[in-house]
């Protein structure tokens, strides 16, 4: 024991290096957790990424997507509405809002959001999905209201 104390006294004090990770690190970690279907872990990492890189649209969209997967539609929409208020925003926000409104069974707002997405992104990643959902809404409205 005395040898350890003596050794410690004669060594130079070390330097402590800061090891704070950037937002990108937690964003990538969130993507990995999402791929593993660990939604709560993905959301936690996305939140950490958002704290380190506030306002990053990619991170905010990822958070909204995970919240939708967790069926936390209102929370997801809060993020998406904040993004759409920006001068420049990703049209995918409207697709996400359409999905959330579908989950909330608010077909009128879902239809509006999905139509807006399809208008802004006629060749977008989710355009075919948006049209499929719009068809499902029309079909649901037909059966709810009956034939014209």
């Amino acid at each position: 024991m005395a040898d350890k104390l003596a050794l410690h006294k004669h060594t130079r004090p070390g330097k402590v290096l800061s090891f704070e990770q950037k937002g990108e690190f937690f964003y990538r970690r969130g993507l990995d957790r999402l791929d593993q279907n660990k939604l709560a872990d993905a959301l936690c990492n996305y939140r950490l990424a958002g704290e380190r890189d506030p306002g990053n649209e990619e991170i905010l969209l990822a958070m909204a997507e995970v919240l939708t997967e967790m069926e936390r539609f209102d929370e997801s929409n809060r993020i998406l509405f904040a993004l759409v208020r920006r001068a420049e925003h990703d049209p995918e926000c409207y697709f996400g809002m359409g999905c959330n409104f579908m989950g909330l069974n608010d077909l009128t707002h879902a239809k509006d959001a999905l139509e807006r997405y399809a208008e802004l992104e006629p060749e977008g990643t989710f355009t075919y999905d948006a049209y499929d959902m719009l068809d499902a809404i029309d079909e649901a409205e037909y059966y709810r209201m009956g034939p014209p």
Side-chain angles (χ1 to χ4, degrees):
M1 180 77 164
D3 291 334
K4 287 184 182 178
L5 289 175
L7 180 63
H8 182 67
K9 285 183 183 179
H10 296 293
T11 58
R12 287 193 281 166
K15 291 184 179 180
V16 177
L17 299 176
S18 175
F19 188 68
E20 186 173 324
Q21 296 290 349
K22 297 186 184 213
E24 182 68 21
F25 170 80
F26 290 104
Y27 173 73
R28 290 181 189 276
R29 200 173 190 188
L31 289 173
D32 290 341
R33 297 306 182 271
L34 186 60
D35 287 343
Q36 298 166 5
N37 204 33
K38 295 180 179 179
L39 300 178
D41 291 342
L43 181 59
C44 181
N45 279 285
Y46 289 147
R47 284 188 172 146
L48 289 169
E51 288 172 8
R52 284 158 176 78
D53 193 1
N56 181 312
E57 185 173 8
E58 192 173 6
I59 293 169
L60 292 169
L61 277 170
M63 283 176 56
E65 178 185 351
V66 170
L67 288 166
T68 298
E69 291 285 327
M70 298 172 82
E71 297 184 7
R72 293 164 62 177
F73 305 117
D74 289 322
E75 290 176 71
S76 176
N77 268 349
R78 273 194 285 282
I79 293 170
L80 295 171
F81 276 117
L83 287 173
V84 219
R85 284 189 206 106
R86 294 180 177 182
E88 291 197 21
H89 57 274
D90 191 328
E92 280 185 24
C93 294
Y94 293 105
F95 181 77
M97 289 171 24
C99 292
N100 289 332
F101 285 127
M102 288 280 289
L104 293 167
N105 203 27
D106 183 347
L107 301 183
T108 304
H109 286 109
K111 187 173 185 174
D112 291 342
L114 293 168
E115 286 174 343
R116 181 77 173 131
Y117 171 74
E119 175 186 318
L120 293 172
E121 290 287 305
E123 302 295 324
T125 306
F126 302 108
T127 303
Y128 292 115
D129 295 325
Y131 283 120
D132 285 345
M133 292 168 76
L134 286 167
D135 287 343
I137 291 170
D138 288 341
E139 196 171 301
E141 288 175 343
Y142 175 81
Y143 286 113
R144 185 180 292 170
M145 303 296 215

